[in-house]
Amino acid sequence: MRSHGPIEFRRLRDVNPADLIDLMNDPRVRRHLPLAKGPFGPRECERFVAAKERLWAEHGYGPWAFYVGEDFAGWGGLQPEGADADVGMILRPEFWGLGRALYREILAYAFDTLGVPSVIALLPPSRTRIRGVLGLGFVEDGEVELGGQRFLRFRLSRAVSPAGRGRTR
């Protein structure tokens, strides 16, 4: 894991599109993105960022870009998925070790700021290492199909999460 400074959350609209394009086309990342079809170029990046910004406008929350110092580490956060808030992240491989710290911040925001009763995490079956999610208190909560792809659903209740018990961001 690479770390060169404090973690900062920014909006996706502030990311250099080339950084997002590189991340979304990295084969090590792409193998865990079953909904990603075809190349992710400038046009797809523009549509992607616009769709994520619409989430903020329509729901009051959405994904962020993560920076460590001035290095773009990836993106993620909360997105509406039906009646649930779905938490997820896509990180550059050299920052994969930051997931737990990022999840803690995102969960604190979900529970303390937004006041949601629970969050879900949807993982493709290709994600066989799930100890980190279980270690945060998530429990298996069935399966869902999105875009013709199967995902394993995990749920974390505010009552169970250390992030949801009085911690403020």
Side-chain angles (χ1 to χ4, degrees), residues 9-79:
F9 288 55
R10 301 180 190 172
R11 294 290 283 269
L12 282 172
R13 64 181 176 224
D14 299 329
V15 176
N16 178 340
D19 289 338
L20 270 172
I21 291 168
D22 287 346
L23 171 66
M24 298 299 281
N25 286 308
D26 185 313
R28 296 166 294 177
V29 171
R30 191 82 177 223
R31 72 184 173 137
H32 298 298
L33 300 176
L35 298 178
K37 305 288 186 219
F40 189 87
R43 187 174 310 138
E44 292 80 13
C45 185
E46 185 178 325
R47 281 191 226 132
F48 170 81
V49 170
K52 300 307 183 188
E53 286 298 316
R54 270 194 306 280
L55 293 175
W56 281 96
E58 294 171 5
H59 300 278
Y61 66 93
W64 292 283
F66 307 126
Y67 280 81
V68 176
E70 288 304 310
D71 293 326
F72 173 67
W75 67 273
L78 299 165
Q79 301 186 128

Side-chain angles (χ1 to χ4, degrees), residues 7 9 64 98-116 136 156 158-169:
I7 299 171
F9 288 55
W64 292 283
L98 284 179
R100 189 174 195 87
L102 291 167
Y103 269 120
R104 288 187 189 281
E105 289 295 318
I106 295 164
L107 294 172
Y109 179 77
F111 295 134
D112 298 337
T113 302
L114 297 178
V116 299
L136 289 168
L156 177 65
R158 175 188 179 109
V160 171
S161 172
R165 293 188 298 226
R167 180 164 179 251
T168 58
R169 186 162 199 257

Side-chain angles (χ1 to χ4, degrees), residues 71-164:
D71 293 326
F72 173 67
W75 67 273
L78 299 165
Q79 301 186 128
E81 186 59 53
D84 290 310
D86 176 25
V87 61
M89 69 181 65
I90 308 297
L91 298 175
R92 291 175 43 203
E94 59 267 33
F95 291 102
W96 281 350
L98 284 179
R100 189 174 195 87
L102 291 167
Y103 269 120
R104 288 187 189 281
E105 289 295 318
I106 295 164
L107 294 172
Y109 179 77
F111 295 134
D112 298 337
T113 302
L114 297 178
V116 299
S118 68
V119 296
I120 61 169
L122 301 176
L123 300 179
S126 65
R127 289 280 311 271
T128 57
R129 294 184 179 176
I130 60 170
R131 276 186 312 175
V133 171
L134 298 175
L136 289 168
F138 282 84
V139 294
E140 293 182 44
D141 188 37
E143 296 182 4
V144 297
E145 187 175 309
L146 296 172
Q149 298 292 321
R150 183 174 70 98
F151 289 84
L152 308 174
R153 182 176 55 216
F154 296 84
R155 184 173 301 276
L156 177 65
S157 166
R158 175 188 179 109
V160 171
S161 172

